[in-house]
Amino acid sequence: MTAIIEYPQAVEDRAPSSLPLRLVLAPAGSSPALVDGAWWPRSRDLTAELPPLMAVLDPLWGRITRVTVNPTYWPVVPRKVQVAGHLVHVGWFKAEQDPHKLLLLSYTTGRWDLLVIPPGAGPATAARLMTTAADPLRVLTASGLMDEAEFFRIAAEADWDSTRELAWDSEGGQGAAPRTPAPRRHVHPGTAPGPRTGGNP
């Protein structure tokens, strides 16, 4: 099942709790994979970010009771977070868990793994990651998806730089044949140049 994602153009004046959740899930019935979708939080504050995520996931997956993260990218990992009338226990694993993954457990249904897109990621990178993480044929780990996205970002920047360099050269920039400046006529101060006429002066 895929959750609807909205990408508002201007969100600076809105409270974080009123902003649409940036989440995409793999289609229902997809074959098991290393990630079940992607989440693009707006900050690294789990206390603020988990409640809106649970509000969407609880009706889809059953009540989420436990979440684990790798603390590499989370400055504070609370032990519990209050969400919609119940507590979600939060734990962490440094060596055992991919730093770009959020693991969610529901006692009634099972386990899910979400790629966590960095809050500061650019829209193009985030869109690529969300599309790839929800692809039914996905085979990469969360860190593998991040490495792939970084490769594409660097390649796109290199391509953009090459395009700009070609445009620079075609417009007379470095690499183009130097232009010879037109000769200037000497004009005495206080006089204006007269019209050009043929013959000798």
Side-chain angles (χ1 to χ4, degrees):
M1 178 167 196
T2 303
I4 297 173
I5 314 163
E6 297 179 59
Y7 296 96
Q9 296 299 311
V11 298
E12 293 81 3
D13 298 331
R14 296 173 62 181
S17 60
S18 69
L19 296 173
L21 189 68
R22 301 186 297 190
L23 171 74
V24 65
L25 304 177
S30 298
S31 58
L34 297 171
V35 294
D36 299 294
W39 174 47
W40 187 16
R42 299 179 190 280
S43 74
R44 290 292 186 179
D45 180 354
L46 284 169
T47 303
E49 298 292 342
L50 285 178
L53 178 64
M54 299 301 106
V56 170
L57 294 181
D58 281 356
L60 298 175
W61 289 348
R63 177 175 285 191
I64 304 298
T65 54
R66 186 168 181 81
V67 169
T68 67
V69 299
N70 181 314
T72 301
Y73 297 115
W74 301 99
V76 176
V77 180
R79 294 182 64 185
K80 298 177 182 178
V81 174
Q82 182 75 36
V83 299
H86 71 283
L87 285 176
V88 172
H89 296 268
V90 183
W92 60 269
F93 296 99
K94 183 81 173 179
E96 299 88 347
Q97 186 164 331
D98 189 315
H100 298 288
K101 186 170 73 174
L102 182 76
L103 187 151
L104 305 107
L105 295 167
S106 168
Y107 288 139
T108 59
T109 315
R111 165 187 164 167
W112 293 269
D113 298 272
L114 292 178
L115 165 69
V116 179
I117 300 171
T125 297
R128 174 179 288 281
L129 285 165
M130 287 189 152
T131 299
T132 309
D135 186 333
L137 301 177
R138 63 208 182 283
V139 294
L140 294 175
T141 64
S143 284
L145 289 168
M146 293 299 298
D147 291 344
E148 182 184 67
E150 181 65 6
F151 170 81
F152 279 111
R153 186 190 67 77
I154 291 171
E157 284 184 2
D159 186 50
W160 171 244
D161 288 343
S162 298
T163 301
R164 286 194 305 178
E165 186 176 339
L166 288 172
W168 171 258
D169 290 346
S170 69
E171 294 171 0
Q174 184 178 10
R179 295 182 182 176
T180 303
R184 295 189 177 187
R185 293 170 53 206
H186 182 70
V187 179
H188 292 286
T191 64
R196 288 191 177 186
T197 57
N200 296 322

